Amino acid sequence: MQITLKPVKSSTKVFKYLEKKGLISVLKPTDKALKTRTKTGTVDILYTSNKRFGSHRLMCIGKRTKKVQLCYHFDNEDFIFINPGNIDYQKLYLVFALDKIDVFSKKLSKNLLSSKDFVAVEIVYNDPNLSFFTMLKKTVHCEVVKDEDKQHPVFFVTESSDLKNNKIKHKDLTITVGD
């Protein structure tokens, strides 16, 4: 028996059909992430894989945080900034410390940090070169939004299912992101 298939172009119609058949799940913002009204936002876990296959989870993040609260993780996490609905989001910034946690902590404890130790990157959505990347382990970072009269931003993160968010105590250090 031989089966010859004629390829079809990717389209919304084809993907909706595959989704209806229970074969795929298209990444799109969840109602929980879009409608959150909490001060900092919400995390909506889309799924966590079975540990026997090497456990990870996929999350939809609705971000409302306006204050920089730095953190780090002991393993990598992947960021996916897609906006399939072309929603007009508030600006989202990803603040990076330019040193990993060990060096950063020493500078913090000695009060040696300055603006030269950080970069705040304005996130772009739907760019194949800039909207998908891995945050490497022990990278000090934080996501914050610009206070605008728009929908707060939503994005996706995939990471190990037991990965902890290690918040850094920096009450004597205030970081702001301005235009």
Side-chain angles (χ1 to χ4, degrees), residues 73-126:
H73 310 287
F74 285 113
D75 204 357
N76 300 340
E77 63 179 332
D78 302 308
F79 284 81
I80 305 165
F81 295 101
I82 60 171
N83 184 355
N86 291 316
I87 298 168
D88 189 18
Y89 290 139
Q90 295 171 340
K91 287 184 182 175
L92 175 64
Y93 302 100
L94 189 46
V95 175
F96 292 88
L98 298 177
D99 294 303
K100 297 285 190 165
I101 185 60
D102 298 334
V103 173
F104 177 85
S105 295
K106 288 176 186 169
K107 286 183 176 181
L108 179 64
S109 69
K110 294 178 181 176
N111 201 23
L112 297 175
L113 293 167
S114 74
S115 61
K116 292 178 182 174
D117 292 294
F118 300 91
V119 64
V121 177
E122 183 179 334
I123 294 302
V124 295
Y125 284 79
N126 304 328

Side-chain angles (χ1 to χ4, degrees), residues 29-68:
T30 63
D31 281 343
K32 179 180 176 183
L34 282 170
K35 295 177 181 174
T36 182
R37 295 291 169 240
T38 66
K39 185 177 179 181
T40 59
T42 191
V43 174
D44 195 3
I45 296 176
L46 301 177
Y47 74 86
T48 301
S49 65
N50 189 311
K51 288 188 185 223
R52 69 185 174 124
F53 300 116
S55 186
H56 74 276
R57 63 183 166 207
L58 175 63
M59 301 174 292
C60 184
I61 313 287
K63 186 53 88 171
R64 293 175 51 92
T65 305
K66 294 171 181 68
K67 179 182 173 191
V68 173

Side-chain angles (χ1 to χ4, degrees), residues 19-21 29-30 47 57 66 117 139 144 150 153 172:
E19 199 167 30
K20 185 177 179 182
K21 297 287 286 177
T30 63
Y47 74 86
R57 63 183 166 207
K66 294 171 181 68
D117 292 294
T139 298
V144 293
K150 297 179 182 179
D172 296 330

Side-chain angles (χ1 to χ4, degrees), residues 118-177:
F118 300 91
V119 64
V121 177
E122 183 179 334
I123 294 302
V124 295
Y125 284 79
N126 304 328
D127 184 307
N129 297 306
L130 305 173
S131 301
F132 315 94
F133 57 86
T134 299
M135 178 80 63
L136 298 178
K137 63 184 173 183
K138 298 184 179 181
T139 298
V140 177
H141 66 283
C142 175
E143 306 93 17
V144 293
V145 300
K146 182 176 181 180
D147 194 11
E148 299 174 293
D149 191 26
K150 297 179 182 179
Q151 169 68 48
H152 61 265
V154 175
F155 58 95
F156 301 91
V157 172
T158 183
E159 64 187 22
S160 302
S161 60
D162 293 330
L163 192 63
K164 302 292 183 237
N165 187 21
N166 303 294
K167 290 184 180 178
I168 300 169
K169 293 180 183 177
H170 56 88
K171 64 180 172 117
D172 296 330
L173 172 67
T174 302
I175 301 168
T176 57
V177 177

